[in-house]
Amino acid sequence: MTATSLPPNSAPRVRVRANRLVLYTVLVSLTGLFIGPFGWLVLNGLKTSAELAASPVHWLPTDFQWQNFADAFNLIDFLGYARNSLIIALIYATLVTLSSAWVGFGFARLEAPGKKTLFGILIGSMMLPQMITLLPTYLIFAKLGMVDTYWPWVFWGLAAAPYLVFLFRQFFAGLPRELEEAAIVDGCGYGTIFWRIFLPQSWPVLSASFVIAFTWSWGDYIAPQLLLSTDKSTLAVAVMTTYVTSAGTPVANLQAAASVMYVVPILLIFLIAQRGFVAGMSTTGLK
C-alpha cells in the first residue's frame, strides 16, 4: 500500500462522516432559526427604550439593563397573574387530556353506526378558526352566568379537543387486539379496559397531549380578555395591556422582559416532559 492509498473500508467512513457533517450543519442552522426570535426577545428586554427606538437597529444593548426584568416583575402583580394562568392551564390541560383520551378510545376500539362519519366531522372541525366560535361561545356562557369565572375552561376541557382526540385514536388503534379480548374474557367492561389497561399504556401520548393543551391555555390571549375581569385575568393579557405609559404608548423593553419571564415556564415544562412528548408524537399511529 502506497503512502497516498486508502484502506479498502475508508471510503464508506468518509461518506458517513460527510453525511453527519451535513446533518449537523442543517440541525444547527434550524436550531439557530428557532432560537433566534427568543434570543432577540431577550436582547430587547435588556435594552433601553431609546435603543429600541433607534435607527439603524442596535443589535446589542450598550449597557445590559437587567433592571428591566425587576421593573417588569414589580410594576404589576406578576405572581398573581401567573397563578391565574397556572390554575386555568392546569384545569384545562388535565380535563381535556382525559376527555380526549376517552373519546379517542371510543373511536379506536368501539363499533357503532356512523363512527367514520362522526370522526370525519371531528377532524373537519379542526379547520374552524377560533374566532368563528368565540362569539357564540361567549353568548352561551353569558346566559349561563359563567362570565368572569373559570367554568368556561372546565367545560372546554370536558368537551375534548379534536387534535388530541386524533392523537389518542391513532395510538389506541395501534395497540394489540389481544389486550382487549383477554380483558373481556376476564369480565372487564370497556370502562375498566380504558382506565386499567389502555390509559396506563398511553403515557407518551398523555405527556404530549398535556404539554400541548397546557401551552394552548397558557398562551391564550383572546378568551381570557373576553371572559375575565382584570383581577382574574391571565399573565398573557397582563403582559400585553399593562406595560404602557400615561399616554397609552406601550413600553416595549418592559413588555419584552415580561414576555421572557412569561415564556420560561413553558420552556421548563417542555424540557421536563420532552422525552414523553417526543415519544408520544413519534409513536402515534404506529402498529
Side-chain angles (χ1 to χ4, degrees):
M1 184 175 65
T2 64
T4 58
S5 62
L6 296 175
N9 59 347
S10 63
R13 291 180 180 178
V14 172
R15 285 196 297 269
V16 170
R17 291 176 180 176
N19 292 336
R20 287 181 178 176
L21 179 61
V22 172
L23 177 61
Y24 291 155
T25 302
V26 172
L27 291 177
V28 170
S29 301
L30 290 175
T31 301
L33 181 64
F34 289 118
I35 294 179
F38 182 72
W40 182 245
L41 183 67
V42 174
L43 290 177
N44 285 341
L46 294 171
K47 295 177 181 178
T48 63
S49 298
E51 287 176 328
L52 281 176
S55 182
V57 176
H58 281 209
W59 294 99
L60 294 175
T62 305
D63 186 18
F64 290 95
Q65 303 293 317
W66 297 104
Q67 185 63 31
N68 288 342
F69 288 88
D71 292 341
F73 186 85
N74 294 323
L75 284 177
I76 65 173
D77 185 11
F78 199 92
L79 290 179
Y81 288 120
R83 182 187 64 248
N84 295 342
S85 295
L86 182 63
I87 292 173
I88 290 175
L90 286 176
I91 290 174
Y92 176 75
T94 302
L95 292 178
V96 81
T97 298
L98 293 177
S99 61
S100 299
W102 180 244
V103 176
F105 173 79
F107 276 116
R109 314 304 290 201
L110 303 180
E111 296 296 333
K115 185 180 76 171
K116 292 183 177 179
T117 302
L118 288 175
F119 188 70
I121 295 173
L122 178 76
I123 297 301
S125 66
M126 295 168 58
M127 304 294 292
L128 293 176
Q130 182 188 14
M131 295 301 297
I132 292 179
T133 60
L134 195 58
L135 183 58
T137 302
Y138 173 80
L139 294 176
I140 292 173
F141 288 137
K143 292 209 177 271
L144 294 175
M146 295 181 182
V147 175
D148 201 23
T149 69
Y150 294 155
W151 280 107
W153 283 267
V154 174
F155 284 101
W156 281 327
L158 293 175
Y163 178 67
L164 301 184
V165 171
F166 173 76
L167 288 183
F168 279 106
R169 186 262 182 191
Q170 296 301 100
F171 182 84
F172 288 144
L175 293 180
R177 180 68 66 176
E178 288 76 12
L179 289 173
E180 179 182 338
E181 293 174 349
I184 292 175
V185 170
D186 290 339
C188 295
Y190 278 103
T192 304
I193 293 172
F194 171 74
W195 286 105
R196 301 188 62 179
I197 299 176
F198 276 66
L199 198 62
Q201 297 271 353
S202 63
W203 69 264
V205 187
L206 286 171
S207 300
S209 299
F210 184 86
V211 172
I212 291 172
F214 190 94
T215 304
W216 286 345
S217 183
W218 184 270
D220 188 15
Y221 170 81
I222 298 176
Q225 175 75 341
L226 187 64
L227 294 171
L228 298 176
S229 63
T230 302
D231 294 337
K232 295 183 179 180
S233 193
T234 61
L235 192 57
V237 177
V239 168
M240 293 301 298
T241 59
T242 56
Y243 295 104
V244 294
T245 64
S246 57
T249 305
V251 184
N253 56 346
L254 294 185
Q255 280 189 339
S259 297
V260 172
M261 294 186 289
Y262 165 73
V263 171
V264 165
I266 293 296
L267 295 179
L268 293 177
I269 290 175
F270 178 77
L271 290 175
I272 294 172
Q274 64 174 330
R275 179 176 297 181
F277 182 85
V278 174
M281 299 303 291
S282 62
T283 57
T284 298
L286 297 180
K287 295 279 186 184

